[in-house]
Amino acid sequence: MTPTITTATLDVPGARLYYEVRGQGPLVALLGAPMDAASFAPLADLLAADHTVLTTDPRGINRSRLDDPEQDSTPQSRADDLSRLLAHLDAGPATILGSSGGAVTALALAQARPEQVHTVIAHEPPLVNLLPDRERLHAGTDDLIATYLAGDVIGAWAKFMKQADITLPEGALEMMFGGDRDPQHIQDERRWFAHEMIHTNRWLPDLDVMRSLPIRLMVGIGEDSAGELCDRTSRALADALGVEPVLFPGDHTGFADQPDRFCARLRAVLPQ
């Protein structure tokens, strides 16, 4: 049964955030960056059977419009947006599942406003600064962004996948990022390369603060992500926090590719 979805916007400093709420019960927020609310819709529909589920487009992505389109997107600004959304809904403290850049957003919120959350599940956060080869990786990120902004979209994505240690079938990049593409997808992609990627990858949590937070903090990793960059960053974070990683079905995008299995695993670790 498809749940009823309430859609709305919230004015925040410099932006208007689009968000969706479905279901009833304890609040769970599903976050991505740059992934939007649509990326989490199948998982949100499943969770809405017994939870209130919040999804949102991050500032500057898809339906969340900026006053200044050239404004950068940082984990701190996205965490402030989420804090304002949670206060607006007045349904917390929340459980937050953040994936990729959304996991970095969730960690930034927990660090700044721990009273608004009681559980954070950081699924594959790309916290490159936790790795010993971070300088090499930062240089690679600078290079692939420059490649993208110079107009070589396929070349930039090839460099991105190589750095992320993600292997795709031959011709997959051309199929995914070549030819006619949705203009909104192109706009969101450019924003991610130009204004978001560096700020997300180079954010470093205050580990002393994180270890002292009065909340439940978990690190999630895809079962199929072994050896990939975000497997490495996630394990480095788990080691730094002194927690055991939790394995989820699929890879970096398991929440979207295998929502049924992902939801079953998520339910097993959600607060009872």
Side-chain angles (χ1 to χ4, degrees):
M1 183 175 179
T2 303
T4 300
I5 303 172
T6 299
T7 66
T9 59
L10 178 68
D11 288 334
V12 297
R16 173 169 289 185
L17 299 179
Y18 170 89
Y19 68 95
E20 299 176 352
V21 178
R22 37 165 75 76
Q24 290 185 325
L27 178 62
V28 178
L30 305 178
L31 300 181
M35 301 88 76
D36 62 8
S39 303
F40 291 89
L43 177 59
D45 285 347
L46 293 168
L47 279 177
D50 50 6
H51 290 82
T52 299
V53 185
L54 167 67
T55 57
T56 182
D57 294 352
R59 60 169 47 225
I61 297 296
N62 199 358
R63 297 154 291 193
S64 288
R65 303 299 184 180
L66 294 172
D67 296 343
D68 174 13
E70 294 304 309
Q71 177 192 95
D72 288 338
S73 174
T74 67
Q76 295 94 324
S77 64
R78 299 194 305 269
D80 184 68
D81 290 343
L82 180 58
S83 173
R84 292 171 187 272
L85 272 174
L86 293 175
H88 176 68
L89 293 175
D90 193 24
T95 294
I96 302 176
L97 169 74
S99 189
S100 192
V104 180
T105 305
L107 292 168
L109 176 68
Q111 183 170 296
R113 297 295 303 273
E115 73 278 4
Q116 290 188 297
V117 298
H118 59 72
T119 300
V120 168
I121 305 168
H123 180 260
E124 301 210 0
L127 297 173
V128 171
N129 272 329
L130 295 176
L131 299 179
D133 56 342
R134 55 187 172 274
E135 294 303 325
R136 176 186 68 83
L137 293 165
H138 289 330
T141 299
D142 292 343
D143 178 59
L144 68 89
I145 289 174
T147 299
Y148 183 88
L149 296 179
D152 184 2
V153 174
I154 301 298
W157 276 109
K159 290 179 178 179
F160 176 86
M161 295 299 176
K162 182 177 181 181
Q163 177 154 294
D165 297 305
I166 296 174
T167 303
L168 296 176
E170 185 174 349
L173 288 178
E174 289 75 10
M175 183 177 298
M176 295 165 65
F177 305 110
D180 293 333
R181 301 175 63 201
D182 179 85
Q184 184 64 55
H185 290 171
I186 295 173
Q187 180 177 317
D188 292 346
E189 175 188 83
R190 187 188 186 285
R191 173 161 183 77
W192 179 54
F193 274 94
H195 295 290
E196 185 173 313
M197 187 187 301
I198 279 181
H199 302 289
T200 297
N201 290 6
R202 296 188 183 182
W203 186 76
L204 184 64
D206 185 323
L207 295 172
D208 288 335
V209 170
M210 286 288 174
R211 285 188 284 261
S212 68
L213 290 177
I215 67 173
R216 188 178 179 216
L217 187 55
M218 305 169 64
V219 179
I221 304 175
E223 293 172 339
D224 300 330
S225 297
E228 295 179 0
L229 177 60
C230 283
D231 174 68
R232 293 174 57 210
T233 57
S234 299
R235 293 185 184 280
L237 176 63
D239 286 346
L241 297 177
V243 300
E244 282 294 319
V246 178
L247 294 182
F248 283 84
D251 54 20
H252 193 62
T253 56
F255 62 89
D257 300 332
Q258 303 182 40
D260 292 312
R261 293 185 61 224
F262 196 99
C263 186
R265 184 67 180 119
L266 179 57
R267 286 185 183 282
V269 300
L270 286 175
Q272 300 301 313

